[in-house]
Amino acid sequence: MVKHFIFIALFVVVFIGCKPTQTINLPEQTVEVENPNKVPEPTVYHGSNTQTFDLIHTKLAVSFNWEKAYLYGKAELTLKPYFYPQSILMLDARGMDIHKVQLITKGNDGFPVMTDLKYVYDSLLITIDLPKKYTRNDTLKLFLDYTAKPNELKEGGSAAIRSDKGLYFINEKGEDQDKPQQIWTQGETEANSVWFPTIDSPNEKCTDEIAITVEEKYKTLSNGTLMQSEINGDGTRTDFWEMNIPHSTYLFMMAIGDFAVVKDKWRTMDVDYYVEHKYEPYAKEIFGLTPEMIEFFSTKLGVDYAWQKYSQIVVRDYVSGAMENTTATIHGEFVHQTHREMLDGNGAEDVISHELFHHWFGDLVTCESWANLPLNESFATYGEFLWREYKYGADKAAEGLQSDLIQYLQEVEKGKYKDMVRFDYKTNEDMFDRHTYQKGGRILHMLRNYIGDDAFFTSLKNYLNENKFTAVEMHQLRLSCEEVTGEDLNWFFNQWFFAAGHPILDINYFYNDTLKTQTVTVEQMQDFKNVPLYKLPLKIDIYLNGKVETKDVIVDGVKNIFSFDVASKPDLVNFDAEKMLLCEKVDNHKTMEEWVFMYDHAPRYLDRFEALIQLSKSSDEIAVKTLTHALNDKYSNIRLTAIKLIKKAAKSNGNEVKAKLIDLAKNDIDTKVRGDAMDALVENFDADEEIKGVLINAVSEESYYVIEKALENLSSVSYQDAMKFAKSLESDETPQIKNTVCYVYSEHGEAEQNSFFIKTSSELTGYEKYAFILSYNKYLKKQSNSTIIEGLPILKETALNENAWWMRLNGINAISDLESMFLNRINVAELELKDLAAGSDKELDLRNAINSDKEVQQKIEAILTAIKENEKNPRLRKMLGLKD
């Protein structure tokens, strides 16, 4: 599953774990001793769920009441005791009305006999008394008649998976003319039990059938194969989907709506893309690499795609990034793109490869518990790397690795140090973090690097074949690698998967001209109380006289000193030459000449990237020259990096840098480079007519990113031109352009631009709406009270009624920001009033202004009161200072 981690400025309180203590004051020292009366907290352990029954097959028949947002369901479950005899069965079923629970047996006449069973239901679990004690040799079949009511549940969720309602009705009453009516599900982690009774656990796998009855105008999608469709004669149709290969219950799905279905093939297998009709012409441009991905992964892993078909569907208001439901991946609407939008890159391609790779790692072989989630998500993240490496080459793949490292380290900076496989999480969703995704992908890359490509992919092939259609733990991956390599790999898995943190390495170099030796000293600097001492096999490349000699070393101590005989001083000593370590490096002891040599001669993306970072800190002529040269690098992200770091070079080598930036802004094949080059031009040079001309010409480009950057920069160079072009772009339907126009208006707009903001507010959703609210708040703060009053309903609607809690928070923050502005204005004005003569014109004007401000302030207070009365989300209630 791909998650969108959204980091928003919140009211954050950090609690530092500490022990209750008694402090005894002694001369010149303080001694703290533990309180002897302290009650130890129980150890939290989330292992795999105990299996008492094995769910063999699930058969569902579902229909819907859109008006009430109800699902009417009938379920037949086939089960058998897992090992021990059982007389009680417990099924997960959240927030349902249970109408019948019956045992299905075969009568003497061969027809089924339905026997009512006694059960207790507590809104989470159905506890069923069985008529006898069943053994592992017995099979039983149950029938349940129920109504699912997802909108009546108390909604939970996390930053990764924003809701756990399981079943979602979108625009169920059809009141929003700009949004289609849809129904879709989201099962991970344990939310599918909202819409059908089941054993909701990742280590439970079964086959299934789902009969979905909908209005004839709608398409349906579910796992497996569409076996048949029946017209019911009442305006409805029933589609019968069958999944005859076992898969985990959290991977069950269905989706319903008015979709265009675009057909594709892999070998002889159906590959389908479900999109809104508007995006039908672009479906193959968005998803068209999927068959090639399936072929590549099948070949690379030596294990063919195992399922009956592969479908991908794009839905509205999705609660996460995407979800790898078996044979039927759901994507959020960010995947919808037109041809013009994809000129700036297909932002969905990594997501598409991620979810597809899950069909081997996660669907075919599944983590047995959420504690072992890296077996799903670390692999899917590494699947992105493998696809990039195959399709686009080493530089693009390495850029992804570097991004993963940065994202993981950002999480660490926030104080999160966790084992990769961990059993002490608070909620299942806590496992969906940058450790499980980004750090995990990097760990797999190190494992591949250590044991070699052939052994790595042979190990994965064995792991998949030996464990297919089962649930596993991390040690089974280790054992597969050990079986292939013949090596005990506990040391690798223990330090990376079963321990927290990462190495912090201080690297120093010394050349002894007398002894003709090159020394490399490496110190591990991490906190050994919480982080292990690492064993790090790696390579050091020594560049000398046009040749490269590679040294294999193992860093395994607090301090290691490696000495190599050399003929003369090397041109470069390149530590971790393969650039595969997951670590923080203090490697700033090279000379500028060595960094320049590294940029010019070392072969990898990260060699060039690290060299540019170091060179950007210097104003030396050689550093400036290399940074300027990097503007022409073969790989676009190195050019982008050089653009962002060009400041010192622009000051000392201005004419050449300016000329190159103008050339990039006009002609580079990468639209991101063109847009960022305009940023650098405006940031580093006085805006003359030539730069202004570049910006004005770029506003007419096809790329939305180029237009956005041109208009934003024109806003600071020539606001009159920016306002003119913004006006001409008001009719553009693209959210990115709408938000760019809003940005310009937030900087320079007057009251007349408020009509555009009001119109646009109803046309944006999701992340685009989030950016819009930020701009609108900035705009309103510069306007008259009457304009602010016109805008308050938009902020109120956002704060009260947006589905996503983070969007409501955005509205709340905007309203609170206005409240602070008015309170401050009123306070300042009332202080000023004290010094004015009563009855003077100035005193009367100021009183009128205060009264006007108080009128607006009262409206804002009323909105905040309504928010507090209506907000149900526990996270937001806590931020608002409210009790649950």
Side-chain angles (χ1 to χ4, degrees):
M1 185 176 202
V2 170
K3 308 298 190 296
H4 282 162
F5 295 100
I6 302 165
F7 296 93
I8 305 169
L10 308 178
F11 309 101
V12 179
V13 180
V14 179
F15 295 95
I16 302 175
C18 56
K19 301 176 181 178
T21 61
Q22 294 176 330
T23 302
I24 305 170
N25 292 316
L26 298 175
E28 307 205 2
Q29 64 178 337
T30 300
V31 178
E32 293 187 340
V33 298
E34 289 193 21
N35 185 342
N37 297 318
K38 177 192 173 186
V39 177
E41 293 187 6
T43 301
V44 175
Y45 179 81
H46 295 286
S48 58
N49 293 328
T50 300
Q51 293 179 285
T52 58
F53 273 88
D54 185 16
L55 182 58
I56 299 168
H57 186 70
T58 298
K59 183 177 181 180
L60 302 174
V62 299
S63 60
F64 308 95
N65 184 322
W66 288 82
E67 186 73 19
K68 293 182 178 180
Y70 285 179
L71 175 150
Y72 302 123
K74 301 182 188 302
E76 290 184 13
L77 307 182
T78 305
L79 311 98
K80 64 188 303 183
Y82 192 77
F83 184 85
Y84 299 108
Q86 303 290 337
S87 59
I88 293 176
L89 168 64
M90 290 194 293
L91 296 174
D92 298 294
R94 290 176 49 209
M96 298 179 179
D97 288 344
I98 307 297
H99 309 302
K100 288 182 182 179
V101 178
Q102 296 177 316
L103 180 68
I104 305 175
T105 57
K106 186 179 290 187
N108 294 332
D109 57 2
F111 290 98
V113 175
M114 314 294 285
T115 305
D116 289 338
L117 296 178
K118 294 180 180 179
Y119 65 92
V120 174
Y121 181 50
D122 65 0
S123 82
L124 297 176
L125 285 171
I126 310 172
T127 303
I128 304 168
D129 287 331
L130 300 175
K132 68 173 187 175
K133 185 166 284 190
Y134 288 82
T135 73
R136 64 182 183 273
N137 298 316
D138 297 322
T139 298
L140 68 150
K141 185 177 288 188
L142 296 181
F143 171 79
L144 297 98
D145 189 350
Y146 63 94
T147 301
K149 302 178 176 182
N151 287 3
E152 296 177 20
L153 285 172
K154 181 179 179 181
E155 186 175 7
S158 65
I161 306 172
R162 300 190 298 273
S163 171
D164 63 353
K165 288 199 307 182
L167 174 64
Y168 298 83
F169 288 78
I170 305 304
N171 192 24
E172 58 265 29
K173 297 180 182 179
E175 295 172 338
D176 188 341
Q177 298 301 311
D178 298 318
K179 182 179 290 187
Q181 290 184 276
Q182 295 176 352
I183 299 171
W184 47 262
T185 63
Q186 165 54 38
E188 197 173 36
T189 54
E190 295 173 8
N192 270 343
S193 51
V194 170
W195 63 279
F196 64 97
T198 188
I199 299 174
D200 209 346
S201 175
N203 61 353
E204 188 58 61
K205 291 176 178 273
C206 70
T207 55
D208 73 81
E209 303 168 63
I210 305 180
I212 306 173
T213 299
V214 295
E215 291 91 331
E216 289 184 43
K217 63 181 178 180
Y218 292 128
K219 296 284 196 311
T220 72
L221 176 64
S222 190
N223 313 98
T225 305
L226 178 61
M227 303 303 292
Q228 66 181 57
S229 295
E230 293 181 358
I231 301 299
N232 299 319
D234 59 356
T236 68
R237 184 188 74 253
T238 301
D239 291 344
F240 295 86
W241 292 88
E242 181 181 305
M243 182 67 176
N244 59 9
I245 305 173
H247 63 140
S248 293
T249 51
Y250 78 89
L251 294 167
F252 283 36
M253 71 80 67
M254 63 180 174
I256 294 132
D258 182 15
F259 297 103
V261 183
V262 178
K263 300 288 185 180
D264 212 339
K265 287 282 186 183
W266 170 67
R267 299 180 186 175
T268 60
M269 186 186 80
D270 288 338
V271 177
D272 298 331
Y273 316 128
Y274 288 64
V275 296
E276 292 178 27
H277 292 277
K278 174 183 175 182
Y279 293 94
E280 184 176 4
Y282 314 110
K284 283 200 174 180
E285 194 171 355
I286 297 168
F287 294 111
L289 290 173
T290 301
E292 186 179 352
M293 288 182 184
I294 300 174
E295 183 64 34
F296 166 65
F297 288 145
S298 296
T299 303
K300 191 72 173 177
L301 295 169
V303 179
D304 277 354
Y305 180 86
W307 312 97
Q308 307 96 314
K309 67 132 176 10
Y310 189 52
S311 300
Q312 296 174 87
I313 189 167
V314 184
V315 302
R316 291 291 189 101
D317 297 346
Y318 194 52
V319 294
S320 194
M323 180 63 205
E324 65 276 9
N325 309 296
T326 318
T327 77
T329 288
I330 291 183
H331 293 282
E333 62 199 271
F334 70 94
V335 171
H336 273 152
Q337 293 175 284
T338 64
H339 171 73
R340 282 188 67 183
E341 289 170 313
M342 283 182 280
L343 291 174
D344 301 323
N346 186 347
E349 192 170 333
D350 282 344
V351 178
I352 292 167
S353 62
H354 181 111
E355 303 309 324
L356 176 59
F357 207 56
H358 266 308
H359 280 70
W360 285 265
F361 298 93
D363 294 9
L364 184 62
V365 179
T366 308
C367 63
E368 70 170 15
S369 66
W370 300 117
N372 283 277
L373 185 63
L375 288 170
N376 292 12
E377 296 299 349
S378 298
F379 269 107
T381 302
Y382 197 55
E384 300 173 35
F385 172 87
L386 293 175
W387 171 252
R388 283 179 168 221
E389 182 182 51
Y390 157 78
K391 186 67 176 177
Y392 303 106
D395 280 357
K396 189 170 182 65
E399 178 197 344
L401 281 181
Q402 178 71 353
S403 174
D404 287 345
L405 176 62
I406 291 169
Q407 290 184 66
Y408 158 69
L409 291 176
Q410 287 174 343
E411 187 167 79
V412 168
E413 288 172 5
K414 298 177 184 293
K416 186 168 187 175
Y417 272 88
K418 293 289 184 181
D419 297 351
M420 292 292 295
V421 177
R422 53 189 186 269
F423 300 90
D424 60 348
Y425 55 83
K426 291 183 179 179
T427 68
N428 298 336
E429 283 76 19
D430 290 343
M431 287 298 301
F432 294 83
D433 60 12
R434 298 182 181 196
H435 284 62
T436 295
Y437 285 73
Q438 284 81 8
K439 183 182 182 183
R442 289 293 304 246
I443 292 171
L444 291 172
H445 187 63
M446 287 189 294
L447 178 62
R448 174 187 176 186
N449 186 275
Y450 175 67
I451 66 177
D453 267 25
D454 192 14
F456 180 74
F457 289 107
T458 301
S459 298
L460 297 190
K461 179 179 179 179
N462 288 359
Y463 167 80
L464 291 169
N465 282 330
E466 291 173 5
N467 300 294
K468 60 185 176 182
F469 310 121
T470 69
V472 297
E473 59 180 298
M474 184 61 71
H475 291 296
Q476 282 157 290
L477 175 63
R478 173 181 60 81
L479 290 170
S480 289
C481 294
E482 290 180 347
E483 182 181 347
V484 170
T485 63
E487 179 181 349
D488 187 321
L489 292 170
N490 270 295
W491 65 270
F492 183 94
F493 280 76
N494 285 344
Q495 72 183 18
W496 289 114
F497 284 111
F498 295 99
H502 57 272
I504 300 174
L505 306 178
D506 187 12
I507 306 153
N508 284 276
Y509 309 91
F510 177 72
Y511 170 69
N512 188 314
D513 191 40
T514 303
L515 299 176
K516 301 298 182 184
T517 58
Q518 175 67 54
T519 300
V520 180
T521 302
V522 185
E523 291 188 67
Q524 297 195 44
M525 308 294 290
Q526 61 270 22
D527 179 4
F528 296 115
K529 293 180 181 178
N530 302 306
V531 179
L533 179 69
Y534 286 88
K535 175 183 175 181
L536 305 170
L538 56 91
K539 298 182 186 299
I540 297 175
D541 279 355
I542 298 176
Y543 291 74
L544 181 62
N545 298 327
K547 297 181 179 179
V548 183
E549 189 172 355
T550 299
K551 306 292 185 179
D552 289 293
V553 302
I554 296 177
V555 175
D556 58 2
V558 175
K559 184 175 184 179
N560 289 98
I561 300 175
F562 306 102
S563 186
F564 310 107
D565 294 331
V566 292
S568 60
K569 180 176 173 57
D571 298 304
L572 173 68
V573 179
N574 193 3
F575 180 83
D576 183 24
E578 294 174 307
K579 295 295 177 283
M580 57 84 198
L581 280 184
L582 190 162
C583 67
E584 291 182 79
K585 287 190 295 186
V586 182
D587 188 4
N588 54 11
H589 305 294
K590 293 183 175 72
T591 64
M592 283 297 112
E593 289 76 13
E594 288 170 325
W595 287 118
V596 169
F597 188 94
M598 186 171 176
Y599 176 82
D600 288 334
H601 297 282
R604 300 179 184 276
Y605 165 85
L606 283 172
D607 294 318
R608 308 201 304 281
F609 181 85
E610 290 179 7
L612 290 183
I613 296 298
Q614 296 297 327
L615 291 169
S616 69
K617 300 174 184 178
S618 171
S619 298
D620 290 355
E621 181 180 352
I622 189 172
V624 167
K625 183 177 179 181
T626 303
L627 275 168
T628 305
H629 174 63
L631 293 172
N632 296 323
D633 193 275
K634 63 179 181 178
Y635 184 56
S636 61
N637 202 63
I638 295 294
R639 299 197 297 277
L640 285 168
T641 301
I643 289 170
K644 290 179 172 67
L645 299 174
I646 205 67
K647 293 180 181 179
K648 291 183 179 180
K651 290 180 180 178
S652 59
N653 198 18
N655 290 336
E656 183 179 357
V657 170
K658 180 181 176 183
K660 286 196 173 185
L661 287 173
I662 288 174
D663 181 62
L664 291 175
K666 288 181 175 180
N667 302 313
D668 199 274
I669 60 173
D670 189 292
T671 59
K672 299 292 178 65
V673 172
R674 296 177 66 191
D676 287 8
M678 286 185 274
D679 281 347
L681 279 168
V682 173
E683 182 179 354
N684 293 291
F685 299 96
D686 293 334
D688 55 21
E689 288 301 312
E690 186 177 18
I691 292 175
K692 181 179 172 181
V694 169
L695 300 177
I696 288 175
N697 287 335
V699 175
S700 302
E701 290 286 346
E702 194 175 7
S703 158
Y704 290 126
Y705 188 80
V706 171
I707 295 171
E708 174 190 356
K709 289 297 183 178
L711 197 54
E712 286 178 356
N713 284 294
L714 197 58
S715 180
S716 61
V717 169
S718 173
Y719 79 89
Q720 298 96 333
D721 285 310
M723 289 291 287
K724 179 182 69 175
F725 284 114
K727 179 69 174 177
S728 71
L729 291 169
E730 281 189 1
S731 60
D732 194 293
E733 295 183 358
T734 309
Q736 189 173 352
I737 296 300
K738 288 180 183 296
N739 267 324
T740 303
V741 173
C742 287
Y743 169 81
V744 174
Y745 288 168
S746 75
E747 294 286 336
H748 309 294
E750 302 292 344
E752 66 186 271
Q753 275 73 48
N754 196 36
S755 59
F756 177 76
F757 280 103
I758 292 172
K759 176 178 178 293
T760 303
S761 68
S762 63
E763 298 171 343
L764 298 176
T765 60
Y767 305 117
E768 289 83 10
K769 184 69 171 287
Y770 187 89
F772 166 83
I773 292 296
L774 295 178
S775 290
Y776 195 37
N777 183 43
K778 185 177 182 180
Y779 164 81
L780 287 176
K781 288 170 68 176
K782 299 176 182 179
Q783 304 307 312
S784 67
N785 287 2
S786 60
T787 301
I788 292 173
I789 289 172
E790 288 178 7
L792 284 178
I794 293 173
L795 301 183
K796 179 180 178 180
E797 174 67 20
T798 301
L800 279 173
N801 297 323
E802 282 287 334
N803 288 328
W805 71 267
W806 48 272
M807 270 303 306
R808 297 198 299 278
L809 176 62
N810 196 22
I812 293 169
N813 285 341
I815 294 167
S816 298
D817 193 25
L818 287 173
E819 179 193 37
S820 297
M821 182 187 79
F822 276 101
L823 286 174
N824 184 62
R825 261 173 33 182
I826 292 167
N827 288 337
V828 170
E830 286 180 339
L831 286 173
E832 185 181 349
L833 193 63
K834 294 179 180 179
D835 298 327
L836 296 177
S840 66
D841 290 344
K842 190 172 184 180
E843 188 250 4
L844 291 174
D845 289 343
L846 194 55
R847 286 192 182 279
N848 289 334
I850 291 172
N851 290 335
S852 176
D853 283 354
K854 285 184 175 180
E855 179 184 349
V856 181
Q857 175 60 23
Q858 288 171 1
K859 293 180 183 294
I860 293 173
E861 287 290 347
I863 294 172
L864 290 172
T865 298
I867 291 169
K868 292 177 180 179
E869 290 174 350
N870 287 277
E871 183 57 58
K872 305 300 182 185
N873 185 280
R875 183 184 286 106
L876 289 188
R877 289 183 63 81
K878 186 175 181 180
M879 292 175 186
L880 291 166
L882 303 172
K883 294 181 180 179
D884 256 348

